[in-house]
Every structure is written in C-alpha cells, then in structure tokens.
Amino acid sequence: MIAGIVGKTNVGKSTFFSAATLAPAKTGPYPFVTIEPNRGVGSIRVRCVCKELGLTDNPRNAVCSNGTRWVPVELIDVAGLVPDAHKGRGLGNKFLDDLRQADGFIHVVDAAGMTEANGSLCTPGSRDPADDVRFLEYEISMWMFGILKKEWDKIVKGVTQLKEDPVALLSDRLTGLMFTKKNVMAALKSRDELSKRIDLWGDGEIKIFVDVLRRGSKPMVIAANKIDVSTAEENIKRLKDEFRGYAIIGCAAEAELALRLAAKKGLISYMPGDKGFMINEGAALSEKQRDGLRKIEAILGSFGSTGVQDAVEAVYKKELRMIPVFPVEDANKFTDHKGNVLPDAFLVQEGTTSRGLAYNIHTDLGEGFLYAIDAKTGQKIGEDYQLKDRDVIKIVSAKGLRG
C-alpha cells in the first residue's frame, strides 16, 4: 500500500514528506518545487509481540524499540495541484497521473490560510483552507469523470446491446486508477441515485458515482499544516466542523523535519511522534539552534506532537485498515531459517487471509499453499482464515519455500 502526499502547490508537502521519511526532496517558498514525484520510506508504530511472547527479537525489516516495532511504509510526494488541473492546467496531468498508484492520500493544507489557490503567498488568515479541501476533491473527481465520460457511449452499448455486466464495464474503464470490481460494487450500492440502470445515467449520476468511488476507495487524511501560526487554530476548528468524514490532524512539518535532522546528527534524542525530546549531553549547539529547539518545544507543549507521524499512521491504520502480522518459519522458536527471532512484520489489510499473506511473501508460497500454523497457539489454520492484528503465522507450502 502506498500513501500519496497531495495538495496544492507551496503548502509544505515536500517538507512533510522529508520530515516523514528523511528522504531528500526540494523545498522552497514558491510554486512547483516538486515536479517529478519523490518516493521515500516512512514508518508506523505497532505493538510488537516480543514482550507478549517473552522474546528478544532481532528484526530484519524494522527497528523494535522497547516493544514498539517501526514498520516501513511507502510514501510518494507528487507535484502540487492548481485549479483546473483536470483540464491539464499547470502540472495537472502529471499530478493526476501520479495519483494512480496511491492507495490513500495525505492531503497537506495550509491551515494558517497564507497560500493562495495558485500557490503564491498571502497574508495569514486571508485564505480559507476549507476551499483547498473542496478544490482537491473536485479536481480528482472531475479527472475521473472525464475518463469515464470519454468511454460512456461504449459502456452504454455494452450494457444495452451486448448485455455485458455493468460492474465489469465500469471497473475495466477504471483499472488504470487501481479501482477493483469490489470498489465499484460498493459505490453502486451506496446511493439510491445509482440504483437505476447505468444506461439511464446522466452526467449528474456519473459525477455522484466517481465522487463516492473516490471517497470509498482512495481514503484521505487531512494534515492541517503550520499549526504554529496563530491563524491556524480557528481554521482547524472550522475544518473539523465541515469535514466530519475525514481525520484532520494538526501538523508542524518544519518542526518535525528539524527534530528528525537533529536526532540524526546525534544532537537530541527523539523518536517520531514523541511528545518531547532531550538534548544529548555534550551536544555542540549554537545559540540559534537552541533558540529553534525552544520554539519547537513550545509547539510540542501546546499540541502534544508535531502531528506528522500521527497523520502517516492515521492513513495506514485507520483509513487503509492495515494491521501487522509476523511471518515465521519455525513456529516453535518464532524464527526464520537463519535463527532471527520475529524477523519481519508485514502490514496487511483487515480481511486478508492466510493464503493472501502467503502471496504477499512470495508468489510460489501462495500457489503452493497447503495450510498455515498460528504460532501462538500451535493450531493449524486453512487458507480462508482471516488474519488478526499481531498474528504470528507459519506458512506451509508444497513449493518448498519457507514461510
């Protein structure tokens, strides 16, 4: 699963991306800093099973710190959006095309209201960030509408003359956007307006369909950035009142990036999402650096965290419904074939089966799947068993690969 960091240009998207991943990304106080999408790896915190099982683990793909496993996740920062992007304005075509690969979105908005629709700076409080949320929803929905509209005559012909399945027709046209038949079926069942035959739909029904499909299949978290600016507080309250269907998380991306970089240099002790930090003994800090850290300390004191880690975890845990499972090869010792204890933590969506996990590990494991073992209980489980949060699973396969 990939989370796309989206929003209009010049609101702090690339700073948010760098703060979440420490991957290099160009930043600057002007529009269109990001042209090609930046890719990086962040992490989400999950409760490891090591303490529950009384084990000392040695993970391969993540750090475990005092029972907290930091599981890697992929983030992509795409070009900023401008009005009429769905018509190709600005970098609109590039932006929207990059969104195809994202499973969910973190929408970074300027909660301080100091960035115009085109990305230029303005007086704090003079821009309503709610307009930015509506604007992004509109551009993505209209982009999807345009894709379907071009093919609509063929879709109608398929339904009326060829008697083809409308769900299959719609999902086929939207395959490139990573929507599935299951996504399409859920959207069709969600609104009374969409219950009539699709050959009777007009533009209104098509727009309702793509809007419902987008909301249900590409979930979004709103990262209300620049919480340290005084005009942000009232704006965030209004965002929460108007967009109750979204998780809205106040963020200070610049503060998080400063903390991450200071920790990387060994100047402070800090983990993403922490409520505070400690200056390390002997750290050579200038007075300017100390003053900057004091300002960040005030932000943490007021808001509890910088919000960046919270936003990343919200999209993966709450919106994409990802849970950790721990594949092992030796169900008695909880190890892989090299003796690593609880070597990996995999993130899978709720509802994933044991066979689905096998496919996630390796195609051959899935194709040769015989059964799985719940390592916590020692019980054999079948291919349709739905994985639970923090399961420890051994896969037994006819292909001979270790699970």
Side-chain angles (χ1 to χ4, degrees):
M1 290 284 182
I2 300 174
I5 300 174
V6 300
K8 72 183 184 187
T9 187
N10 201 24
V11 294
K13 292 190 301 86
S14 294
T15 301
F16 183 102
F17 170 81
S18 296
T21 66
L22 279 189
K26 291 178 67 177
T27 61
Y30 48 87
F32 299 124
V33 176
T34 302
I35 297 176
E36 292 300 319
N38 300 304
R39 288 179 173 273
V41 176
S43 299
I44 65 171
R45 298 165 291 187
V46 302
R47 191 160 55 94
C48 189
V49 293
C50 59
K51 291 187 177 294
E52 174 187 338
L53 298 175
L55 299 171
T56 300
D57 57 355
N58 50 328
R60 297 185 308 179
N61 74 335
V63 172
C64 185
S65 175
N66 195 31
T68 296
R69 183 76 71 109
W70 292 81
V71 185
V73 294
E74 187 174 359
L75 299 171
I76 179 171
D77 168 33
V78 300
L81 196 63
V82 297
D84 288 334
H86 69 279
K87 297 179 181 178
R89 184 165 178 258
L91 297 173
N93 291 333
K94 183 80 175 82
F95 170 90
L96 294 166
D97 192 59
D98 289 336
L99 289 191
R100 295 174 188 270
Q101 56 203 300
D103 300 287
F105 303 137
I106 299 172
H107 182 187
V108 180
V109 301
D110 178 356
M114 51 192 292
T115 314
E116 296 284 11
N118 63 3
S120 60
L121 296 178
C122 61
T123 304
S126 61
R127 170 74 179 178
D128 185 355
D131 289 340
D132 297 334
V133 178
R134 289 189 288 265
F135 150 66
L136 182 115
E137 290 181 322
Y138 172 79
E139 291 294 340
I140 297 177
S141 289
M142 288 305 295
W143 172 56
M144 293 167 58
F145 171 80
I147 291 172
L148 275 185
K149 189 66 175 175
K150 288 179 182 177
E151 300 286 328
W152 198 250
D153 289 343
K154 294 180 182 178
I155 294 173
V156 170
K157 180 179 178 181
V159 171
T160 57
Q161 298 181 26
L162 304 178
K163 307 302 180 185
E164 295 183 54
D165 176 19
V167 174
L169 285 169
L170 290 170
S171 58
D172 285 348
R173 296 303 185 276
L174 295 168
T175 297
L177 278 65
M178 314 300 275
F179 294 119
T180 65
K181 288 184 180 180
K182 185 177 179 181
N183 299 146
V184 171
M185 180 67 76
L188 291 174
K189 290 182 176 180
S190 66
R191 295 283 293 269
D192 290 340
E193 299 97 317
L194 306 178
S195 60
K196 61 184 178 183
R197 297 196 333 250
I198 65 171
D199 55 296
L200 300 178
W201 286 9
D203 286 357
E205 286 80 11
I206 300 174
K207 289 176 181 178
I208 291 172
F209 169 71
V210 296
D211 192 55
V212 171
L213 182 64
R214 173 188 56 78
R215 287 175 177 269
S217 307
K218 300 270 190 181
M220 185 168 74
V221 167
I222 297 174
N225 197 27
K226 306 181 184 180
I227 53 175
D228 50 319
V229 180
S230 60
T231 51
E233 183 177 1
E234 187 61 34
N235 282 336
I236 291 175
K237 288 180 182 178
R238 289 192 297 102
L239 284 171
K240 291 181 177 180
D241 286 340
E242 182 168 346
F243 301 101
R244 296 180 182 273
Y246 290 133
I248 298 173
I249 298 168
C251 294
E254 286 188 355
E256 178 68 18
L257 180 57
L259 290 173
R260 292 286 303 272
L261 291 173
K264 185 179 181 180
K265 294 176 181 177
L267 300 175
I268 64 172
S269 295
Y270 172 75
M271 292 295 281
D274 280 356
K275 297 180 179 180
F277 61 88
M278 291 184 60
I279 297 177
N280 291 333
E281 187 175 349
L285 291 167
S286 67
E287 186 54 38
K288 182 178 179 180
Q289 288 173 316
R290 290 183 181 276
D291 184 57
L293 288 174
R294 282 192 288 268
K295 292 178 180 178
I296 293 174
E297 193 171 37
I299 293 172
L300 297 178
S302 297
F303 301 101
S305 78
T306 68
V308 172
Q309 184 66 29
D310 298 324
V312 173
E313 294 186 359
V315 74
Y316 277 97
K317 292 181 179 180
K318 180 181 177 182
E319 303 302 332
L320 293 174
R321 300 180 295 109
M322 306 297 285
I323 59 173
V325 295
F326 298 80
V328 297
E329 297 176 31
D330 188 323
N332 296 313
K333 296 181 180 180
F334 305 99
T335 62
D336 62 12
H337 67 282
K338 293 183 178 180
N340 295 305
V341 179
L342 299 172
D344 300 311
F346 273 53
L347 291 175
V348 299
Q349 274 195 306
E350 291 177 4
T352 298
T353 64
S354 53
R355 188 169 194 138
L357 173 64
Y359 272 110
N360 282 345
I361 298 171
H362 197 286
T363 301
D364 285 349
L365 277 182
E367 292 177 350
F369 182 92
L370 296 174
Y371 59 91
I373 296 174
D374 181 339
K376 288 182 179 179
T377 65
Q379 291 183 324
K380 182 188 292 187
I381 52 181
E383 65 178 356
D384 294 330
Y385 170 80
Q386 291 192 0
L387 299 169
K388 299 189 299 295
D389 183 50
R390 301 168 64 251
D391 269 347
V392 184
I393 301 293
K394 173 182 172 61
I395 303 295
V396 179
S397 173
K399 294 281 188 173
L401 292 176
R402 293 184 176 93

